[in-house]
Amino acid sequence: MPFSFLHTGMLWWLAAGAIPIIIHLLNRRRYRPVPWAAMRFLREAIRVNARRIQIEDLILLALRVLVLIFAALAFTLPILKSQLLFFGRQPHVCAVILLDDSYSMNYVDGDLSRFERARTVAREVVGRLNRGDSVSVILMSDRPRRLFREPTFDLDQVRNQLARLECSYAASAAEGALALAREDLAKARQPAHLVCLISDFQKGLLGGAACEALLADLKKNADLVAIPIGEGYDGNLGVVGIETDAGVLAAGIPTVLRARIHNFSQTPQQDYPVELFLDNQRRDRRWVTIPPGGEVDVTFLAEFREAGQHAVEVRIPADSLPTDNARHHVVEVRPKIPILLISGDTAGRGGIGATEYAGMALAPGWLVGELEEDHLSPARVAVGQFRPADLDQYPAVFLVNVATLEADQIAGLERYVREGGGLMIIPGERTDVRFYNENLYRNGEGFLPARITPPGFRTEEGECFLSPDAYDHPALSVFADRSHGDLSQIHFKRTLLVEPPTTASVICKFSTGRPALVERTFGKGRVMLFASGLGRDWSDFIWKPSFLIFMRRVGDYLMRRETAGLNLGVYETATRFIRGGSAATPMTVVHPSGKNDLAELESALGGMRLQYAGVDRPGAYRLITEQQIVGQFAATVDPRESDIGLPPMGLITAPLRIVAPTDVASVTSTGPAGSEFWMTCLKIALALMLIEVLFLLWIERREKRTTVHESV
Amino acid sequence: MAIRSPYIDPEIYNRVHKMVLRARAIVEGTIVGQHRSPYHGFSVEFRQHREYAPGDDLRYLDWKVFGRSDRFFLKQYEQETNFIGHILVDLSESMRYGSKPNQTKAEYAKLLAATLSYLILQQRDAVAVGVFTDRVVQYVPPSTNPAHLYRICHVFESTPAAEKTDLGAILGEFASRLRRRGVVIIISDFFDDLDRVLSGLQYLKFNRHDLIAFQILDEFERSFPFRGLIRFEGMEDEGIFRTQPERIRHSYQELFGRFAEGLKAGCERMDVDFQQVLTARPVDAAIREYLARRR
């Protein structure tokens, strides 16, 4: 259809065109009766004039109907899609500029970054708009936001604001920004809509069903224009991750730090230097070879002599995208790491039970009191003496061969896990399966990762081992290297039949196919359930060297809670609990840029809780109070953003009109919105009204010329 | 005992009683009077004096009386002949029209006829009145008795306007009925086929009557001043017409004027006195105007 209407609701007013016809029909009842004698002259006069009167009446009726139709049409704000008609004028535009400010736009092409070029292009687009047009600028990333609360008509202000914009450290994402654009256009009063995406269009930017649906929706009423920024690409390498073997490190114990370096370019990198900095001191440098598109793990061995939080930084040489050339990581180092063993067995009275096996695996010198060489410090407590209030001291808890728990103990454990604690459940012969199912599993509502099928442990009739599957879970990944132990050689005599729900995941299975280790996330914490017991009656696991590694890895994995607040994504709010101290004492956050911010503090049980919302760039942030560093945390960028690719990767299938940055003039030319001609309609209505008045005057004047015939 | 009638208006009669309606043509009378008689050689015997009225022949002035009294008197002789004035009044439905209440053409025609009757009777001429629609409804035979006026008025009062008109036929009928030459006064709106009207007048004229035609019209019928949406309802079962009068006024007036001109021209051709009278005009003024022109 060559027409469209901005106010389709006003189309009902077109029915007003019937008003003159209705009035005409109603008037037929309003004739004033007059008895008349000289009918012969009247009849003849009517006969003579009937045709003329009929034509005049039809013309008047048509004029009146057309006046109302065109007036109503003007109110519907019609848009003529044909560009061939001479009338109509360029409609006012509501332009929404989606400016990509993800950190890939920091890529430097020549002497300017892509963001600086995009900013210039955006200002040119705004400069092409006319008085009466409105603009909304939306910064397009995974944290989309508007530059102005609503579309503004102050184009100069928009240009000034654009000139001052800085690129962010957020990752690319278009969905949120497109949704904001749709909201802005829905409220726009202008008949023509322009959506202008200015981006490097990284691969996958406009992908996904939601994005495609939004683009299709916008396409209905707007001219979608894409201006790809980025002339060339000479590759990029980035530090995409830093990991430690354990979530909590012990002071004086060497630990492995792994840095992942990704080569996003098409050329191999040989003897590529990777440097390790600990607390801003360079400690190590490695040279690696990275194939095109490949990724390597660079392993550093580090040792922290002092307890506390330490900043780890890995750097690579500068390239065109500086943001990912360094990555920070903060680790928690403690003198000893306490682990609570809640024991339900009676072996402590003389023999060695499951709890003792677990404790010795975590710290081999534990039973004989020689813990100097061990970074883990297990603490055994009988289930009867277990007090939930003590849980906060332990980054991880093992529940070993416990029959039942009191209600407050269950509630305490549940709260502990919800707040981020790690819990390993190792059943035994004392375990009350029914109690576990009813109180800890609660049809999936409790923290037990799986329902235990009664009656509980069953003796395996044949051989049963752990399945030699690929160990991709962090807790077991170490066993991918068989030199650390071969789990498939562990012979199980008795196992537990468990039924994990869909919310839980099976980490490894027995050779029978049944789950052996099940994990579920509960609140912020994790819970694991081992489907066998510890001891010679259950398996030969305790005699295997892999048992020690298994227990320590699980312990380390469960302890990740303590590191959760140390390493954030950029723009996340930092929340930390700091033991001791007072909320009245000011705490300063030293920003990576060097500026100092005051942190918000509030009193909490046993210390204070810090909240800091100023995490807006990657790097290490230090917390200082009374000139003492009391903590650190690191902010990192999304590594996917480093994969810039050749532009415009994301535009291959998107339904957009692609305009070169050098051809901005064509952005604001007449798009599919067509020409607005409500003014033309209004003029036609007024002209018809004038014609109707003149026509009536002509008729009246002609009738006035008729003078009373002076007869005899 | 005074007789009251809406058609006896002393004020009007006072204004017209000095007027004289003379027969312009030769009329046949039973006595010799002020009208030219077809009968010559009668002896002349003085009968009485009558006060001079404008239009009287000066030959009959009594100069002796003038010398004695300075007043003009006419000498009247027994030999003067008289005439019969036949007044034919159209009381068809169309005469019922009046743009103002109580001022219909029919009422005006009746008043005019009664006044003319008075005028004729007071000059000792005989008057006969015929009331017609498409037929003769009432006929009052001729008489010179002044009390005859009351009978005429009674007929008018008892005869409302009704029925259609067929003027041509009815004038033909009167032509055959009025054998003695006299003055025939026709009071009507003449809203009929013009040729038939003229042919009816021709019949009367053929009998050598002195014809006077009074066309009674309402001002609205001539000027057609209506505006807005009007439904005209024919008074003689001529149907209903809805129109905006201002849109056809020009044509109406043209047609109406053409009809009136045609009627007037036809009357002139036949030597018939034609006088168009609007109902808004006082009756005595209308008569005076006519008589002044007639002289």
Side-chain angles (χ1 to χ4, degrees):
Chain A
M1 194 171 72
F3 292 100
S4 63
F5 303 95
L6 288 177
H7 292 175
T8 47
M10 298 293 283
L11 280 171
W12 290 104
W13 286 99
L14 287 177
I19 289 175
I21 298 168
I22 293 168
I23 289 173
H24 171 75
L25 294 173
L26 289 176
N27 274 343
R28 292 176 69 86
R29 297 181 180 179
R30 293 183 183 169
Y31 279 83
R32 183 161 53 92
V34 171
W36 192 245
M39 286 298 272
R40 60 176 54 246
F41 313 112
L42 180 69
R43 188 191 307 122
E44 185 62 13
I46 289 173
R47 190 189 65 76
V48 168
N49 291 285
R51 191 167 181 78
R52 177 182 61 81
I53 289 173
Q54 199 173 16
I55 291 170
E56 285 175 359
D57 282 351
L58 279 174
I59 291 171
L60 277 174
L61 189 67
L63 283 171
R64 287 165 183 169
V65 167
L66 287 173
V67 163
L68 290 170
I69 285 177
F70 273 99
L73 207 58
F75 288 120
T76 63
L77 298 183
I79 299 294
L80 187 63
K81 290 183 178 168
S82 168
Q83 297 174 31
L84 301 175
L85 294 184
F86 64 93
F87 59 81
R89 62 174 179 75
Q90 199 70 11
H92 283 308
V93 176
C94 176
V96 180
I97 296 174
L98 301 178
L99 180 61
D100 187 352
D101 73 333
S102 62
Y103 78 79
S104 66
M105 294 292 283
N106 268 328
Y107 190 89
V108 179
D109 284 334
D111 53 347
L112 289 174
S113 73
R114 289 181 176 181
F115 186 76
E116 288 167 325
R117 292 181 196 281
R119 203 170 55 184
T120 306
V121 168
R123 295 185 75 219
E124 282 179 33
V125 171
V126 174
R128 292 276 171 186
L129 297 174
N130 300 311
R131 187 186 176 89
D133 296 342
S134 67
V135 186
S136 174
V137 178
I138 296 170
L139 298 170
M140 182 168 62
S141 66
D142 60 357
R143 50 185 293 273
R145 60 205 187 280
R146 294 184 176 94
L147 195 57
F148 302 95
R149 193 179 301 171
E150 54 190 18
T152 176
F153 293 87
D154 189 345
L155 304 182
D156 290 336
Q157 190 195 10
V158 176
R159 284 163 59 83
N160 292 337
Q161 290 280 333
L162 281 170
R164 289 197 287 270
L165 267 182
E166 293 289 337
C167 189
S168 76
Y169 293 95
S172 290
E175 188 181 330
L178 290 171
L180 290 179
R182 187 171 61 179
E183 281 176 22
D184 284 348
L185 292 181
K187 289 184 282 189
R189 306 289 298 173
Q190 290 85 350
H193 297 165
L194 169 69
V195 177
C196 182
L197 290 89
I198 306 172
S199 169
D200 56 2
F201 293 101
Q202 278 182 279
K203 187 165 58 181
L205 174 70
L206 300 176
C211 249
E212 285 169 9
L214 280 165
L215 283 172
D217 202 19
L218 286 168
K219 183 82 177 168
K220 289 177 191 167
N221 295 311
D223 185 17
L224 293 185
V225 176
I227 306 178
I229 304 294
E231 294 167 351
Y233 177 62
D234 58 1
N236 176 44
L237 280 89
V239 184
V240 296
I242 299 174
E243 287 178 352
T244 56
D245 268 0
V248 181
L249 307 181
I253 304 293
T255 188
V256 171
L257 294 170
R258 284 193 192 84
R260 277 183 286 125
I261 316 296
H262 198 112
N263 181 2
F264 296 100
S265 65
Q266 301 299 311
T267 52
Q269 297 292 329
Q270 292 187 336
D271 295 332
Y272 193 75
V274 181
E275 294 178 318
L276 172 72
F277 288 76
L278 299 179
D279 296 324
N280 288 327
Q281 300 287 320
R282 197 177 77 179
R283 292 295 177 87
D284 203 353
R285 177 188 286 169
R286 300 288 172 90
W287 281 265
V288 294
T289 298
I290 314 173
E295 187 174 291
V296 295
D297 279 359
V298 184
T299 305
F300 298 98
L301 198 63
E303 182 182 326
F304 299 93
R305 299 202 173 278
E306 293 178 7
Q309 287 160 0
H310 298 270
V312 177
E313 181 184 359
V314 175
R315 290 183 196 170
I316 56 174
D319 57 18
S320 296
L321 182 61
T323 311
D324 60 359
N325 292 337
R327 195 172 184 89
H328 292 77
H329 190 78
V330 170
V331 294
E332 172 85 18
V333 178
R334 292 192 179 185
K336 294 286 178 188
I337 303 169
I339 290 182
L340 182 65
L341 302 172
I342 303 172
S343 175
D345 58 31
T346 55
R349 293 173 188 170
I352 293 179
T355 310
E356 284 69 30
Y357 289 128
M360 284 192 292
L362 292 167
W366 170 56
L367 276 183
V368 293
E370 294 178 356
L371 284 171
E372 289 79 11
E373 299 298 319
D374 295 312
H375 70 287
L376 297 177
S377 174
R380 181 182 188 280
V381 62
V383 67
Q385 279 80 49
F386 161 53
R387 290 185 306 159
D390 298 334
L391 284 171
D392 284 338
Q393 301 172 27
Y394 302 95
V397 175
F398 282 65
L399 196 67
V400 185
N401 197 17
V402 171
T404 58
L405 290 160
E406 297 297 327
D408 64 322
Q409 293 174 328
I410 295 171
L413 279 170
E414 196 166 302
R415 181 193 58 78
Y416 169 76
V417 178
R418 273 190 196 286
E419 291 181 356
L423 176 64
M424 174 68 167
I425 299 171
I426 302 172
E429 71 278 357
R430 296 178 63 84
T431 300
D432 183 342
V433 171
R434 188 174 171 188
F435 177 86
Y436 270 50
N437 283 338
E438 288 179 0
N439 297 280
L440 306 186
Y441 181 67
R442 296 204 306 270
N443 290 323
E445 299 292 317
F447 57 79
L448 188 68
R451 181 178 178 275
I452 304 169
T453 307
F457 286 98
R458 59 201 68 199
T459 304
E460 298 294 335
E461 293 177 357
E463 299 287 306
C464 180
F465 303 94
L466 277 179
S467 177
D469 292 337
Y471 301 107
D472 53 356
H473 189 273
L476 302 185
S477 59
V478 67
F479 296 109
D481 181 357
R482 293 294 170 94
S483 65
H484 292 122
D486 188 356
L487 294 182
S488 64
Q489 296 301 312
I490 303 163
H491 181 214
F492 287 88
K493 300 174 186 170
R494 296 170 71 195
T495 56
L496 204 63
L497 182 59
V498 296
E499 303 165 35
T502 53
T503 51
S505 57
V506 177
I507 296 172
C508 70
K509 295 177 180 175
F510 294 114
S511 54
T512 56
R514 297 202 304 269
L517 187 61
V518 182
E519 180 198 8
R520 76 166 293 190
T521 302
F522 190 80
K524 293 179 183 173
R526 300 188 183 99
V527 186
M528 284 184 170
L529 173 65
F530 187 55
S532 186
L534 297 180
R536 63 183 68 185
D537 297 335
W538 308 92
S539 67
D540 58 359
F541 196 17
I542 57 172
W543 310 122
K544 302 283 186 184
S546 58
F547 176 60
L548 274 71
I549 299 172
F550 174 85
M551 291 300 284
R552 291 166 77 105
R553 293 291 294 183
V554 167
D556 284 342
Y557 174 72
L558 291 174
M559 282 186 286
R560 285 183 185 273
R561 175 184 81 135
E562 289 295 305
T563 64
L566 300 180
N567 295 290
L568 315 170
V570 180
Y571 304 112
E572 284 182 28
T573 298
T575 307
R576 293 284 296 278
F577 178 78
I578 296 165
R579 292 186 192 282
S582 164
T585 310
M587 182 170 287
T588 304
V589 179
V590 181
H591 194 269
S593 64
K595 68 174 180 177
N596 293 341
D597 291 332
L598 271 180
E600 285 181 32
L601 293 171
E602 60 180 29
S603 295
L605 188 63
M608 53 192 174
R609 193 170 295 278
L610 170 143
Q611 276 208 324
Y612 177 66
V615 182
D616 56 3
R617 67 161 53 194
Y621 293 73
R622 284 176 293 156
L623 307 177
I624 296 176
T625 181
E626 294 174 338
Q627 298 184 335
Q628 295 287 320
I629 297 177
V630 295
Q632 292 192 71
F633 61 86
T636 55
V637 293
D638 188 334
R640 290 173 298 174
E641 192 65 15
S642 297
D643 187 7
I644 295 171
L646 288 169
M649 297 295 290
L651 277 177
I652 293 168
T653 57
L656 298 161
R657 180 160 66 95
I658 299 173
V659 171
T662 52
D663 189 24
V664 172
S666 68
V667 170
T668 51
S669 63
T670 305
S675 301
E676 179 185 342
F677 71 106
W678 64 269
M679 183 56 86
T680 308
C681 288
L682 206 58
K683 284 176 183 172
I684 291 173
L686 288 171
L688 288 170
M689 205 183 293
L690 187 66
I691 291 170
E692 192 244 0
V693 169
L694 291 174
F695 190 59
L696 276 176
L697 284 174
W698 176 73
I699 292 172
E700 198 169 326
R701 205 167 162 189
R702 190 193 60 207
E703 285 159 3
K704 275 185 180 172
R705 279 204 304 268
T706 307
T707 52
V708 176
H709 185 85
E710 292 295 332
S711 61
V712 182
Chain B
M1 186 178 69
I3 296 175
R4 290 168 184 267
S5 169
Y7 309 113
I8 297 175
D9 188 336
E11 280 191 26
I12 295 175
Y13 286 4
N14 189 41
R15 286 199 288 270
V16 300
H17 86 277
K18 288 183 182 176
M19 298 179 193
V20 176
L21 175 64
R22 291 181 190 284
R24 199 164 51 186
I26 294 170
V27 296
E28 295 170 8
T30 53
I31 58 171
V32 177
Q34 57 188 325
H35 313 290
R36 291 172 61 196
S37 171
Y39 310 111
H40 299 287
F42 280 91
S43 60
V44 175
E45 190 174 330
F46 175 77
R47 184 179 175 195
Q48 62 179 8
H49 280 98
R50 183 172 65 79
E51 199 169 0
Y52 171 77
D56 285 344
D57 194 340
L58 293 176
R59 286 181 302 171
Y60 300 108
L61 271 177
D62 190 338
W63 296 106
K64 290 180 182 173
V65 173
F66 176 72
R68 285 198 297 270
S69 64
D70 278 347
R71 295 172 64 186
F72 292 112
F73 280 92
L74 295 180
K75 287 188 284 186
Q76 288 188 318
Y77 300 89
E78 287 293 339
Q79 290 82 356
E80 275 186 329
T81 185
N82 64 347
F83 71 81
I84 300 174
H86 300 281
I87 301 176
L88 308 181
V89 182
D90 179 4
L91 287 183
S92 62
E93 284 273 23
S94 68
M95 292 294 286
R96 216 155 42 81
Y97 178 74
S99 59
K100 293 176 184 171
N102 303 320
Q103 200 181 63
T104 65
K105 291 191 288 182
E107 290 302 303
Y108 191 89
K110 287 174 184 176
L111 186 61
L112 178 62
T115 307
L116 287 170
S117 299
Y118 167 77
L119 186 64
I120 293 167
L121 287 171
Q122 68 94 29
Q123 63 189 28
R124 297 183 57 82
D125 290 322
V127 67
V129 170
V131 175
F132 66 91
T133 57
D134 55 346
R135 60 192 165 82
V136 178
V137 179
Q138 294 278 357
Y139 185 74
V140 183
S143 170
T144 57
N145 189 342
H148 191 55
L149 180 63
Y150 300 123
R151 192 178 165 197
I152 291 166
C153 288
H154 176 70
V155 166
F156 285 159
E157 285 173 39
S158 61
T159 312
E163 307 295 331
K164 296 180 182 176
T165 188
D166 188 356
L167 210 55
I170 211 72
L171 291 180
E173 186 183 331
F174 271 116
S176 60
R177 193 183 277 199
L178 308 177
R179 296 197 174 278
R180 190 176 155 190
R181 280 188 290 170
V183 176
V184 177
I185 302 171
I186 305 158
I187 304 173
S188 171
D189 54 12
F190 295 98
F191 286 167
D192 202 348
D193 182 70
L194 183 59
D195 291 338
R196 287 174 61 80
V197 170
L198 292 177
S199 92
L201 292 174
Q202 186 68 50
Y203 281 132
L204 288 167
K205 199 65 190 173
F206 185 73
N207 290 346
R208 290 187 287 176
H209 290 296
D210 185 1
L211 287 184
I212 303 168
F214 279 100
Q215 188 185 23
I216 310 300
L217 294 175
D218 191 280
E219 173 58 29
F220 279 21
E221 289 176 325
R222 199 171 63 161
S223 61
F224 203 57
F226 302 100
R227 294 189 70 85
L229 301 170
I230 306 290
R231 189 178 70 233
F232 290 101
E233 297 168 350
M235 300 179 77
E236 293 187 4
D237 294 336
E238 294 147 304
I240 290 172
F241 291 96
R242 291 186 181 86
T243 189
Q244 289 175 272
E246 60 269 32
R247 312 273 300 272
I248 58 164
R249 184 177 296 131
H250 178 72
S251 295
Y252 174 89
Q253 288 177 341
E254 200 172 87
L255 289 163
F256 189 88
R258 202 181 300 158
F259 174 81
E261 289 291 343
L263 183 62
K264 183 184 174 190
C267 289
E268 282 175 353
R269 270 199 311 276
M270 290 182 287
D271 197 22
V272 175
D273 282 357
F274 176 79
Q275 179 70 27
Q276 194 179 65
V277 181
L278 297 178
T279 55
R281 190 166 175 77
V283 168
D284 56 306
I287 294 172
R288 184 183 298 114
E289 184 187 347
Y290 167 67
L291 290 178
R293 197 161 58 86
R294 180 179 171 84
R295 189 173 64 234

